[in-house]
Amino acid sequence: MDRLSNTVRPYAWGSTTAIPELLGVAPTGEPQAEMWMGAHPGAPSRVTRAGQPEQPLSALIEADPARELGPAAVARFGPRLPFLLKILAAAAPLSLQVHPDLTQAREGHAAEERAGIPIDAPHRNYKDANHKPELICALTTFEGFCGFRAPDRTADLLAALDVDSLKPYVDLLHAHPEDAALREVLTAVLSADPADMAATVTETAAACDRLGGAHAPYAVLAHHFPGDPGVLAAMLLNHVRLQPGEALYLGAGVPHAYLGGLGVEIMANSDNVLRCGLTPKHVDVPELLRVVRFEANDPGILRPEASPSGEEVYETPVDEFRLSRYVRAEGAGPVDITAATPQIVLATSGTPRVNDLTLTPGQSVFVPAGEKAELSGTGTLFRATVVA
């Protein structure tokens, strides 16, 4: 069992205080957006196993994948840790984006490889051949946008702004079938003349700011990204506010963006992102429209229920990751979490223990497959593993 030393990524949208406050350290004054836990090549966790120098978790796994991951996980997902666990701290909106399904990722990656597009090229869409389902669990109030709202409801939201240049979109949203209406509006927004769209977004933002209420989150987006068509694209989506302990699952083809808050995020080990806006980065409109699923639905907030052992599982339809939570009160007995699959256990409050390792908030451990592991002490822990 290995205590993890983890990298914090300083993306511009990150909070300067949230992660330091969780860790109990002084802020640096720089944004601290994500703390990564896992074996992703971009920033693998580091471990010091008895008698060995510090090494990346990825190197430890590569040296003996069957020992560290277990035969079942290796057979199912290959010789690598199939998930990446993060603490995410957003003080400003993240880009509006969507992720491909597994078939789309494989096809897109193969096509870009054949075309000879460098892996670090700014216009490259597919950095790997994997899909990227995600789950975000709130540690504080957490806001974002997820999935298409029913077109009629979005038409009402836009009509209330009384902006002339929005009226064609309102008319399109009343058309049927709904999937075609959503496709036409998103295509029109992302393909519009940039100067005309910037003027529309500016006028829309002023109206959102004036009306407030359900329109207020879009004024926030426009403040951070003035004139960006992603502001109008986000107005097609459900606005979601998670309370601590609530979670949101983001599957393939579902457009989404985070607005702000602190949370625990887990995802399949992939970098594949297609952006819709709210970013200075490359937006590939044709490929984006190929990947997006134009389906209006409820975002489906997850609220887990505790099992007799105290484990609260966030159910998702994927096998690359399984996230659960333990909220341990004073006097709670030990819980055996030994598993035939690899695990990362993260503390977010109190001083819980994994075997003889005491964790403070923000600390985590890697538990190899089959390793005896027992939770004790008080506080909140998140347990990440796979279904194999």
Side-chain angles (χ1 to χ4, degrees), residues 168-186:
Y169 302 135
V170 172
D171 293 340
L172 283 172
L173 288 166
H174 283 305
H176 290 280
E178 288 188 347
D179 59 344
L182 291 168
R183 179 182 289 275
E184 286 193 44
V185 173
L186 184 61

Side-chain angles (χ1 to χ4, degrees), residues 102-118:
L102 191 54
T103 298
Q104 291 165 338
R106 287 171 175 168
E107 291 175 350
H109 182 261
E112 291 184 335
E113 288 289 287
R114 287 194 300 271
I117 301 174

Side-chain angles (χ1 to χ4, degrees), residues 9-32:
R9 309 304 292 263
Y11 305 137
W13 48 262
S15 168
T16 58
T17 59
I19 289 179
E21 286 177 0
L22 179 70
L23 298 175
V25 300
T28 64
E30 299 296 319
Q32 298 192 6

Side-chain angles (χ1 to χ4, degrees), residues 332-377:
V335 176
D336 187 349
I337 61 164
T338 305
T341 51
Q343 305 181 71
I344 291 178
V345 179
L346 163 70
T348 57
S349 72
T351 52
R353 293 189 301 277
V354 183
N355 290 357
D356 59 349
L357 294 178
T358 298
L359 304 181
T360 57
Q363 292 187 337
S364 55
V365 296
F366 173 71
V367 184
E371 188 78 16
K372 176 69 175 176
E374 185 178 81
L375 304 181
S376 59

